[in-house]
Amino acid sequence: MEQKRFVVGLGEALWDVLPEGKKLGGAPANFAYHAGQFLGSENTLAISALGEDKLAEETIEALKEHSLQYLMPRVPYPTGTVQVQLDAEGIPTYDIKENVAWDNIPFTSEIEAVAANCRAVCFGSLAQRNVVSRENIQRFLDKTPKDCVKIFDINLRQQFYTKDIIQESMRRCNILKINDEELVLIGRMFGYPGLDIENKCWLILGKYDLDMLVLTCGTNGSYVFTPGQMSFQETPKVQVADTVGAGDSFTGSFCAAVLSGKPVAEAHKLAVEVSAFVCTQNGAMPALPAELLARTK
């Protein structure tokens, strides 16, 4: 019998503590949840670490509610939280607590076994801010099969990234996902600020020998660059409830469509529509409508 191959969200597991209460957050769980809606929740997995506290129990309850498989060993650090403050205009600022469980993700034999059977993995820069998780995320990536799709969703947060972390991650991925603001920062950091958006993307694609570079520009649309080709999609105009998790739903659905053998332009169009739908719903993990789910069949 062929062993099951997993699609993995790898990195931070945390709670966003908002003025009105707390919500489970973190890109890895959001990514795995949305990929799982297309590929089956039995084929997707969120990997992180939890504390030995009440919040860890609540995390597991929330994951089970969303039928999300997880590998989150317990470690002697608090489960991650982010204090979210809203200003008078409703613009959030984030205080991402340090030295928490997901800063200390261990590399267990179970996690190593998943790496060896990994079909696709999505990881970011935030979970690599601490040396323990950074080294173990890199070990996971290095243990994946040759044909594994490795998506670096760069996700720059506060001061929690360095040029070295970004370079190491770009060397290990075959798909880079970045937004327009991050592209400006990376352009400055790597010494090519003068190039226009498209030329920056072509340069990074070639320099790191990537299969794809996905660039999202908010309301100004999104691009997927592949060697010799570019796909552009407008951002649909929708009534926004909140944008939490919209980027992760884009990545999860794009990955699922690519794994299902869809052409890049078709996968891109689906990702844009899924992300737009998620913006019309409250929270990061709404159930997607059947007509969107049917598109990878």
Side-chain angles (χ1 to χ4, degrees):
M1 194 175 87
E2 191 189 3
Q3 202 160 4
K4 184 160 61 178
R5 295 194 65 191
F6 288 104
V7 174
V8 173
L10 173 62
E12 65 275 13
L14 49 83
W15 288 81
D16 292 318
V17 183
L18 301 138
E20 72 274 13
K22 64 183 191 299
K23 285 182 183 155
L24 183 64
N30 294 342
F31 166 83
Y33 171 76
H34 285 290
Q37 290 198 77
F38 290 95
L39 300 169
S41 57
E42 71 281 2
N43 299 313
T44 51
L45 193 62
I47 295 180
S48 187
L50 298 173
E52 292 157 342
D53 50 20
K54 184 169 175 286
L55 212 45
E57 302 297 337
E58 291 180 36
T59 307
I60 288 165
E61 282 305 306
L63 294 168
K64 284 180 177 167
E65 264 173 49
H66 289 96
S67 303
L68 190 52
Q69 290 196 96
Y70 59 90
L71 249 183
M72 298 189 182
R74 299 295 185 92
V75 293
Y77 296 88
T79 298
T81 54
V82 180
Q83 297 294 140
V84 185
Q85 303 288 339
L86 302 175
D87 69 11
E89 274 78 55
I91 307 297
T93 55
Y94 302 97
D95 174 19
I96 305 172
K97 300 298 178 196
E98 293 189 67
N99 209 22
V100 292
W102 61 261
D103 284 316
N104 296 280
I105 302 170
F107 195 68
T108 64
S109 56
E110 276 185 295
I111 290 174
E112 185 170 3
V114 170
N117 263 307
C118 191
R119 193 177 175 205
V121 55
C122 183
F123 67 103
S125 61
L126 178 58
Q128 297 185 70
R129 67 182 181 175
N130 184 42
V131 65
V132 176
S133 287
R134 177 162 70 249
E135 286 182 353
N136 288 332
I137 285 169
Q138 290 177 0
R139 280 175 78 185
F140 184 98
L141 296 168
D142 293 346
K143 296 272 186 187
T144 57
K146 275 204 166 23
D147 63 349
C148 180
V149 175
K150 297 189 281 284
I151 304 166
F152 178 38
D153 187 350
I154 194 164
N155 227 346
L156 301 181
R157 290 285 180 270
Q158 291 172 218
Q159 74 287 5
F160 297 127
Y161 57 90
T162 63
K163 185 174 179 179
D164 186 52
I165 287 170
I166 290 163
Q167 280 181 317
E168 282 300 320
S169 298
M170 291 223 228
R171 286 192 193 109
R172 284 176 166 84
C173 75
N174 39 41
I175 299 178
L176 171 66
K177 179 167 177 271
I178 190 166
N179 69 31
D180 47 353
E181 291 172 10
E182 291 165 340
L183 188 64
V184 171
L185 286 169
I186 295 300
R188 282 196 205 120
M189 191 183 271
F190 287 86
Y192 31 83
L195 294 175
D196 66 18
I197 279 184
E198 289 187 25
N199 281 325
K200 273 193 190 110
C201 290
W202 288 122
L203 184 69
I204 293 167
L205 187 82
K207 183 175 166 61
Y208 290 95
D209 195 22
L210 302 173
D211 295 334
M212 296 179 210
L213 187 154
V214 179
L215 172 69
T216 58
C217 304
T219 55
N220 298 318
S222 56
Y223 301 79
V224 180
F225 296 85
T226 56
Q229 259 184 324
M230 183 188 83
S231 165
F232 174 77
Q233 288 284 335
E234 301 272 350
T235 301
K237 289 185 170 45
V238 293
Q239 189 72 44
V240 175
D242 72 45
T243 59
V244 179
D248 302 324
S249 74
F250 182 114
T251 317
S253 51
F254 182 78
C255 175
V258 167
L259 292 177
S260 302
K262 299 297 173 191
V264 168
E266 212 176 302
H268 185 192
K269 189 172 194 309
L270 174 64
V272 164
E273 289 175 27
V274 167
S275 176
F277 173 79
V278 171
C279 287
T280 69
Q281 308 295 300
N282 285 309
M285 296 188 195
L288 296 175
E291 62 267 23
L292 285 174
L293 295 176
R295 299 259 293 277
T296 57
K297 300 293 179 271

